[in-house]
């Protein structure tokens, strides 16, 4: 029996490397030799116990690597391909898949479907969510495709144009990539909130027009000052919580758009009166799919490969796989300077 290492959640704020059985790929799946995996905000929700994590298989969905094995029926990929993956599979046959909304697939399943994800030496991935990376793209860039695709879709959901001022709540990975995507899409002006020094510096490095340090002021004040009291055209909320939702509603103009892309893990109390009186449009943004005529993943790959988004700027920490517990500790405490933490193999 061939064994491999996998990092499994073992309790509240606990993750440990274990020896597990290495599985062969099922039909339609491939096995990746995992090269790099990022720690996502949703991984931290599991780490903190906000969501119920698996204690039998490794999580990890911001991942990339080389195809090591292919399952029966796989023809589009072969051993040695450099790839990255979406966090779910999709059937391609249901109503949502056939109409371009495969992120809402009626048979949507987790990236590995009860097999091990990116926090393992070998990752199981269904080919429906697999994308080839350019040969010259580094694994450090390749692993950033997934979070950039999330952020790009959030901006696309707002239909933001060169006429729009876009405000982003949150200076973490998704917020920073929303900023980068908005800049690449040519919006009129960008505003982003942050609460840690490394987030503020990164936002400036990515070209933010205005960075709001919420330790000193608030988004509502900045938005009103910049617009003669009207409010911004679009607010993208990446953090979660009722207070941030209310902030978004207060900062956006009448008939403006609020996009919710945060990981909400409990019901919220929110003041919806402004939605009624100001006719604010509120929409969610769920992972990625098609935006216009192209998948968000393909767009993210192009943005990174072309240099229009400098993804590596977000990476603050890199840890070897055996030190994944420390990687989570650093990622979970933003006062220690983290934005994006990578686990490298």
């Amino acid at each position: 029996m061939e064994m491999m290492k996998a990092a499994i959640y073992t309790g509240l704020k606990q993750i440990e490397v274990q020896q597990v059985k290495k599985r062969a790929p099922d039909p339609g799946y491939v096995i990746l030799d995992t090269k790099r995996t990022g720690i996502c905000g949703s991984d931290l929700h599991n780490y903190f116990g906000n969501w119920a994590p698996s204690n039998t298989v490794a999580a990890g969905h911001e991942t990339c690597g080389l195809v090591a094995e292919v399952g029966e029926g796989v023809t589009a990929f072969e051993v040695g391909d450099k790839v990255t993956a979406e966090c779910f599979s999709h059937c391609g046959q249901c109503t949502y898949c056939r109409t371009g909304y495969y992120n809402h697939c009626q048979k949507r399943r987790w990236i590995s479907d009860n097999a091990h994800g990116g926090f393992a030496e070998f990752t199981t991935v269904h080919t429906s969510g697999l994308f080839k990376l350019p040969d010259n793209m580094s694994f450090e860039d390749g692993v950033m495709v997934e979070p950039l695709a999330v952020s790009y879709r959030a901006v696309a959901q707002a239909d933001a144009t060169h006429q729009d001022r876009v405000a982003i709540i949150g200076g973490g990975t998704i917020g920073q990539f929303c900023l980068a995507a908005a800049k690449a899409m040519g919006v009129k002006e960008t505003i982003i909130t942050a609460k840690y020094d490394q987030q503020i510096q990164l936002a400036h490095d990515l070209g933010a027009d205005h960075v709001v340090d919420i330790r000193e002021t608030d988004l509502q004040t900045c938005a009103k000052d910049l617009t003669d009291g009207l409010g911004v055209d679009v607010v993208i909320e990446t953090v979660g919580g009722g207070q941030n939702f209310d902030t978004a509603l207060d900062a956006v103009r009448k008939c403006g758009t609020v996009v919710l892309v945060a990981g909400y893990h409990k019901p919220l109390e929110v003041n919806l009166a402004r939605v009624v009186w100001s006719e604010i449009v509120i929409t969610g943004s769920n992972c990625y799919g098609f935006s216009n005529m192209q998948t968000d993943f393909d767009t993210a790959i192009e943005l990174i490969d072309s240099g229009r988004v400098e993804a590596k700027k977000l990476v603050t920490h890199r840890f070897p796989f055996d030190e994944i517990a420390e990687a989570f500790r650093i990622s979970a405490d933003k006062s220690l300077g983290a934005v994006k933490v990578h686990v490298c193999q």
Side-chain angles (χ1 to χ4, degrees):
M1 179 188 301
E2 190 174 357
M3 305 295 286
M4 68 175 185
K5 294 178 180 179
I8 309 293
Y9 295 111
T10 56
L12 189 65
K13 295 197 288 188
Q14 293 180 331
I15 186 169
E16 69 176 35
V17 177
Q18 301 177 0
Q19 288 287 331
V20 300
K21 182 181 177 181
K22 182 180 176 229
R23 289 172 46 176
D26 290 333
Y29 285 81
V30 303
I31 302 295
L32 305 186
D33 179 356
T34 314
K35 295 302 182 184
R36 199 169 280 233
T37 303
I39 297 176
C40 174
S42 59
D43 295 316
L44 294 178
H45 279 306
N46 288 331
Y47 184 68
F48 288 125
N50 296 326
W51 296 339
S54 170
N55 60 3
T56 58
V57 297
H61 60 275
E62 293 181 8
T63 194
C64 67
L66 299 173
V67 175
E69 299 179 58
V70 298
E72 180 184 344
V74 174
T75 58
F77 300 91
E78 59 186 27
V79 172
D81 283 345
K82 182 188 291 187
V83 295
T84 187
E86 296 175 325
C87 72
F88 53 76
S89 67
H90 34 96
C91 71
Q93 301 299 319
C94 71
T95 297
Y96 290 111
C97 284
R98 288 187 288 106
T99 53
Y101 297 98
Y102 69 79
N103 54 325
H104 299 290
C105 173
Q106 291 172 288
K107 297 181 181 179
R108 173 173 143 165
R109 294 180 179 176
W110 172 243
I111 175 176
S112 303
D113 192 25
N114 295 319
H116 294 287
F119 296 138
E121 286 187 289
F122 292 91
T123 302
T124 301
V125 178
H126 193 269
T127 55
S128 64
L130 201 60
F131 288 77
K132 292 181 181 179
L133 294 171
D135 290 338
N136 63 343
M137 182 175 285
S138 68
F139 291 118
E140 183 158 278
D141 274 333
V143 76
M144 301 297 273
V145 170
E146 197 274 349
L148 178 56
V150 171
S151 300
Y152 174 81
R153 182 174 184 80
V155 180
Q157 287 286 86
D159 290 326
T161 74
H162 66 284
Q163 297 177 313
D164 293 323
R165 290 184 172 94
V166 176
I168 299 146
I169 296 175
T173 297
I174 299 304
Q176 300 283 356
F177 268 156
C178 283
L179 165 64
K183 297 290 291 187
M185 294 163 75
V187 304
K188 180 177 182 178
E189 202 166 12
T190 54
I191 309 163
I192 186 170
T193 69
K195 63 184 294 188
Y196 298 100
D197 291 343
Q198 73 271 18
Q199 296 175 342
I200 292 169
Q201 183 59 56
L202 176 60
H204 285 300
D205 291 345
L206 292 175
D209 295 297
H210 308 278
V211 181
V212 178
D213 183 344
I214 62 172
R215 296 170 297 187
E216 300 177 356
T217 185
D218 57 65
L219 176 62
Q220 300 96 311
T221 299
C222 180
K224 297 299 172 62
D225 287 347
L226 290 172
T227 60
D228 294 327
L230 289 177
V232 296
D233 304 290
V234 173
V235 179
I236 302 173
E237 206 287 277
T238 75
V239 179
Q243 181 177 350
N244 288 308
F245 197 159
D246 279 333
T247 294
L249 296 177
D250 288 340
V252 75
R253 64 168 171 80
K254 294 178 180 179
C255 303
T257 300
V258 171
V259 180
L260 306 178
V261 69
Y264 297 95
H265 55 85
K266 61 182 180 180
L268 306 178
E269 183 174 330
V270 178
N271 180 10
L272 296 179
R274 181 158 158 72
V275 177
V276 176
W277 293 110
S278 298
E279 296 188 332
I280 296 167
V281 176
I282 301 172
T283 187
S285 186
N286 182 267
C287 293
Y288 21 68
F290 278 92
S291 294
N292 300 314
M293 297 293 289
Q294 183 167 262
T295 70
D296 300 310
F297 250 64
D298 281 323
T299 299
I301 291 170
E302 288 179 5
L303 288 172
I304 294 173
D305 190 42
S306 68
R308 294 176 68 192
V309 171
E310 297 179 81
K312 285 195 284 282
K313 284 187 173 183
L314 277 70
V315 185
T316 54
H317 296 76
R318 303 161 183 84
F319 288 90
F321 182 69
D322 286 338
E323 297 179 19
I324 192 169
E326 179 66 4
F328 265 80
R329 187 185 75 83
I330 295 295
S331 185
D333 186 354
K334 297 300 183 280
S335 69
L336 298 176
V339 177
K340 176 54 66 180
V341 177
H342 281 175
V343 179
C344 311
Q345 301 186 52

